[in-house]
Every structure is written in structure tokens, then in C-alpha cells.
Amino acid sequence: MATTQDQQPKFTLQRRRQSVQFFVEQLTDDIGIEMMLIPAGTFMMGSPEDEIDRSSSESPQHEVSVPTFFMGKYPITQAQWSFVAELPQVNRELKPNPSRFKGDKRPVELVSWYEAVEFCDRLSAHTGREYRLPSEAEWEYACRAGTTTPFHFGETITTDLANYDGTDAPNGEWSSGSYGRGPKGEYREETTLVGHFGIANAFGLCDMHGNVMEWCLDHWHDNYEEAPTDSSAWLTEDESAGRVLRGGSWTFTPNNCRSAYRGINPPDNHDSRFGFRVICRSWTKNQPTTDDFITEKGINYTTLRDLLLTDQWRKADEETWKIILQVTGQQERGYLYSSDVGSIPSADLCTIDRLWVKYSQGKFGFSVQKQIWYEVSQDWERFTERVGWREANAGFKNYDALTFSINAPAGHFPFQFGTPDYCWTWRVGRGNTMDYLLLRQDL
């Protein structure tokens, strides 16, 4: 892409506080892995034809759909590596401190693709969650965080934002230390601490450009012809095939730190430029990594799943109410009669229940409420006290007074069936609608 002298480098860097969802995989009192929620979406993978210094391996651009997952905020550090390296072996040995540039908070490097996979296997066995390397598509989607520019910062990059070689190579052997109309900078000649620059992208991820290249699951392909469009790893039957690396490194010039840049190396190679970060599909332990959304009414349950996944209990409860109105055809009326409960399709009722049970680790859901309903001999007053909808010998709680937390009493949600504007429990004396719902045999 041609540039003119009066063009200025464009940045989208904004220093601001932003709400992101995450959990911490606590390994010890002092060592944890921050896992950031990467929301589901679609993006154009690869680089446009007019991007400066692009490679043919980044073509053709193609749309990829990506489900929700969690990704490490930083590359795996040496402290995290050392802890996991002491866990029981799964397939191969791991050195406790392999890195060239020492420091607990520096990224681990000099690790092969095979060793990165072993790390994920040991971490999975230790935590009960399924950890793995990201696919190439997941990595680029997470790096871009909704941007379409060469870097998630914008059109160019500086060494005040990332760790790369910002100087010109001797005798012009390599590319320039600047990108586009961006400035040259320094060459630190080593890795930096993770998070050194204090800058994250819109998904809360740091160090996606430079510092260490990051191993991905995929086998190398020369371009994206016939590449998957569902964000899955693109594999071959050749286990010795080169593996993809992303993100550039401390030795690279800025053109090789772009969001779309792709690198290749043998899976057994060790290099002080190579590290990795991990992803997982679910924060819950020992749970399937995908959800089977069965619906008779064409309902998209992704929003409900993502709200539950990130402990947004109030919004999940309100989303459940919207779905109940939708499947019963009562959006305009805005509330239900007891007779409407029978029109909730079994498939949708069970999907809602399964999602609540799964992401509350068995604490919330219709089926949980049904068990409690029978434990209290279908006594409405005892039931509502038990699930925390009212205090003993007192009236029903206002919706805002509910406990929107996993610490709420078992069966607290879904709140049958309510919103801040309308709640049938305030209007139906002994819970006739509850009778109809929890007597259903499909729960």
C-alpha cells in the first residue's frame, strides 16, 4: 500500500478502564493464570491485499466463526511453567527452568511445541479443566479483538507499545525497524516481563505483538485455500509437519509482529523466541466443552450460555424470562397464566434447565427446584423460604433484593418467572404456576 509523506500513523490506542470477564486458575497462593473471556463472534481471518508487507500465506481472507472461550491474559510465565513442570508426567519430561532469559514473570521460552502440549495436558489433569494451545484462528481472533488494522493498536506500532526490534538491520539485510509511517525505536535484545507495557486489547489480552512467538495447534499450510471456517485447528496426518507460530518476537521487525503474520517451525524445535499461551472452553471443572442447544422454537441460547458462563446471574435470569415468553408466544402480554406452562416445549425447557445446572455447578435450575419442591412436600411457603425468595413469616422479596450470586440458596434461580416489572410470585397466592411447571415429567 503506497504511503505519502503527509500521512500520519494511525492508532486506536485508548487508555481507559474497561470491564472484562475473567477467572484466575490458582496454582499456588502466589501463582495464578488469568484467563480472559473471549466472546463468540465472526471475523475476517488473514490480511487484505493492500496491507503493508503482507505475505501470500495470509490469503485468501475468509470469514471465520468463533465460539466463546477463555485465553491466558499473558504468555505462560516461567513461574507458571516451573509449577506445572513438577506435576506428574503425562507423555514427556519437562525441564523446570528451560528459558534463556531468567525471571519468574518473564515468558517461558526455549520450549518446543510438544512441550507446550505436555504443559497443557498436565495443567488439565491438575485442574479438571481442559486446557490446550489455541488454534490459529482462535489466536488471530483474540489478537484482533474486533479490529481490522495490522495491529490491534491501529495502523502501526512503536517500541513503547511492544517488544520487538525497532532498529534498521545492518546493510538493509532485513526489513526496516519501522512500519508504515510509524517511528523507529529501540532493540532490547531480550524478553520483557509479561504485561511490561501495561496495555491490553479490547479482550483484555497483553503482549499479543512481539516479546515471544506463540505456538498454535495447527499444522502449517502455505495459504488459506480450503481452511476451516469454524475456528478449529487445521491438521494433517503428518505428525512431523511444521507448526504455526503467531505474534512476532523480541528479535523480529514490526512487519512480522502483525495480527495476520504467520510463522512456521518444526514441533521439536527450541528457540528463545518461542513461547505460548493457553486457552480453555469452560471455567467449570469436568464439564463438556460444548453445549447441545436443543430447541423446538429456533431459540439461540448463546446469550444465556455466555451470561451463565460469566456469573452474570441477574442478566441470565432476565434472559431466561425473555426466552420463556418467546417460546410460549406471550411476548406481547408479558406474563404467563398457569395454563401457559404446558406450552413450553420440552426441548427448550430442558435446554434452559441444563444450562443453569451446568454453569451453577448443580446449584440452580428447574430440576434443582423440583427436587426441593418434593423435599418440602410441595408446600409453597416452605419452598419459597428454602430457595430464598422470602424470609420466614414475611412477604416475598422485591426482585432487586434477590441474591444475584453463586452464594444464593440452592434453587434461587431461575426466579419463577419474573422481571423487575412483573413477577407472578407476587400475584399468585400459593404458586399454581410452580405446581404446573414442577409437576412436568420432562424435568
Side-chain angles (χ1 to χ4, degrees):
M1 181 174 70
T3 59
T4 61
Q5 293 298 316
D6 60 349
Q7 284 181 309
Q8 297 297 319
K10 296 179 181 179
F11 292 90
T12 56
L13 179 66
Q14 298 181 13
R15 293 185 182 273
R16 63 183 182 187
R17 293 186 180 275
Q18 182 169 321
S19 176
V20 293
Q21 299 292 331
F22 69 97
F23 74 90
V24 179
E25 188 65 82
Q26 209 66 47
L27 303 179
T28 71
D29 290 344
D30 301 320
I31 302 171
I33 304 175
E34 292 182 69
M35 299 298 296
M36 313 306 293
L37 175 69
I38 311 301
T42 60
F43 80 112
M44 293 302 295
M45 185 173 179
S47 59
E49 293 184 0
D50 61 352
E51 186 165 297
I52 299 172
D53 291 339
R54 71 186 297 271
S55 165
S56 60
S57 70
E58 301 162 17
S59 295
Q61 271 195 304
H62 56 292
E63 186 175 82
V64 177
S65 297
V66 185
T68 300
F69 63 97
F70 287 88
M71 188 177 213
K73 181 174 184 176
Y74 308 109
I76 291 297
T77 66
Q78 293 175 37
Q80 293 162 352
W81 174 274
S82 295
F83 175 85
V84 173
E86 296 299 326
L87 296 175
Q89 178 176 328
V90 177
N91 291 306
R92 64 185 61 242
E93 294 182 0
L94 294 178
K95 295 180 180 179
N97 191 11
S99 301
R100 172 184 174 187
F101 303 108
K102 305 298 185 186
D104 283 350
K105 293 186 178 181
R106 289 183 190 246
V108 70
E109 20 89 1
L110 283 175
V111 294
S112 70
W113 183 90
Y114 291 123
E115 290 165 342
V117 170
E118 174 71 15
F119 177 98
C120 294
D121 290 343
R122 294 191 192 188
L123 183 61
S124 299
H126 178 71
T127 64
R129 280 179 265 268
E130 182 185 351
Y131 283 93
R132 61 172 173 82
L133 297 177
S135 71
E136 189 177 7
E138 289 167 334
W139 191 98
E140 185 173 330
Y141 174 74
C143 176
R144 290 187 178 280
T147 64
T148 58
T149 47
F151 309 92
H152 69 69
F153 307 115
E155 296 288 350
T156 190
I157 192 171
T158 78
T159 56
D160 292 329
L161 304 177
N163 182 22
Y164 62 90
D165 185 357
T167 63
D168 284 340
N171 304 317
E173 294 175 4
W174 307 103
S175 297
S176 168
S178 63
Y179 184 84
R181 298 293 297 169
K184 293 181 174 60
E186 63 180 308
Y187 180 28
R188 296 177 174 87
E189 301 188 57
E190 61 182 346
T191 60
T192 53
L193 304 182
V194 299
H196 169 78
F197 299 94
I199 297 170
N201 69 10
F203 291 159
L205 302 172
C206 299
D207 298 345
M208 298 300 286
H209 302 296
N211 216 13
V212 288
M213 295 195 79
E214 298 179 15
W215 288 111
C216 294
L217 279 179
D218 304 60
H219 295 180
W220 175 261
H221 293 77
D222 289 337
N223 55 50
Y224 290 138
E225 294 289 347
E226 301 182 357
T229 59
D230 62 356
S231 81
S232 60
W234 196 6
L235 306 176
T236 69
E237 295 182 358
D238 181 8
E239 282 302 312
S240 64
R243 300 309 202 268
V244 174
L245 291 131
R246 288 299 206 114
S249 79
W250 59 276
T251 68
F252 279 27
T253 47
N255 58 310
N256 291 339
C257 297
R258 293 173 296 114
S259 299
Y261 174 76
R262 308 174 67 216
I264 175 178
N265 247 267
D268 58 355
N269 198 15
H270 299 79
D271 195 296
S272 62
R273 297 171 297 174
F274 299 168
F276 67 100
R277 71 180 77 206
V278 298
I279 76 164
C280 72
R281 285 290 183 190
S282 172
W283 68 269
T284 54
K285 295 186 177 184
N286 299 315
Q287 291 285 353
T289 57
T290 60
D291 291 305
D292 188 10
F293 299 149
I294 303 174
T295 176
E296 294 179 25
K297 296 290 186 177
I299 304 298
N300 184 344
Y301 284 98
T302 301
T303 298
L304 177 59
R305 187 272 314 280
D306 290 349
L307 292 170
L308 293 168
L309 182 69
T310 55
D311 295 349
Q312 298 184 69
W313 305 110
R314 179 168 185 152
K315 290 183 178 180
D317 192 54
E318 293 169 355
E319 175 69 10
T320 299
W321 176 235
K322 292 176 185 178
I323 293 171
I324 292 292
L325 290 177
Q326 185 176 352
V327 299
T328 56
Q330 301 303 334
Q331 299 101 312
E332 185 175 350
R333 186 206 293 164
Y335 57 91
L336 301 182
Y337 293 126
S338 298
S339 57
D340 295 320
V341 174
S343 67
I344 303 174
S346 178
D348 293 88
L349 183 65
C350 291
T351 293
I352 294 169
D353 179 55
R354 184 166 60 251
L355 288 170
W356 274 98
V357 171
K358 173 179 176 179
Y359 291 107
S360 69
Q361 301 184 59
K363 195 165 189 180
F364 305 142
F366 297 138
S367 58
V368 176
Q369 293 166 343
K370 181 173 183 175
Q371 180 179 344
I372 296 171
W373 182 239
Y374 282 96
E375 288 176 0
V376 299
S377 302
Q378 303 178 49
D379 183 300
W380 176 240
E381 292 188 0
R382 290 174 61 196
F383 175 83
T384 52
E385 289 176 21
R386 176 86 170 267
V387 300
W389 293 351
R390 70 181 182 90
E391 302 293 342
N393 303 314
F396 287 105
K397 292 180 179 178
N398 183 281
Y399 189 79
D400 291 335
L402 295 180
T403 304
F404 296 101
S405 161
I406 194 63
N407 296 321
H412 202 57
F413 296 113
F415 188 46
Q416 314 294 324
F417 299 102
T419 71
D421 299 320
Y422 174 84
C423 177
W424 69 262
T425 56
W426 301 339
R427 304 189 181 192
V428 180
R430 62 174 297 275
N432 290 329
T433 311
M434 173 68 75
D435 285 336
Y436 279 83
L437 176 70
L438 297 186
L439 286 172
R440 287 188 51 154
Q441 298 300 307
D442 45 4
L443 283 177

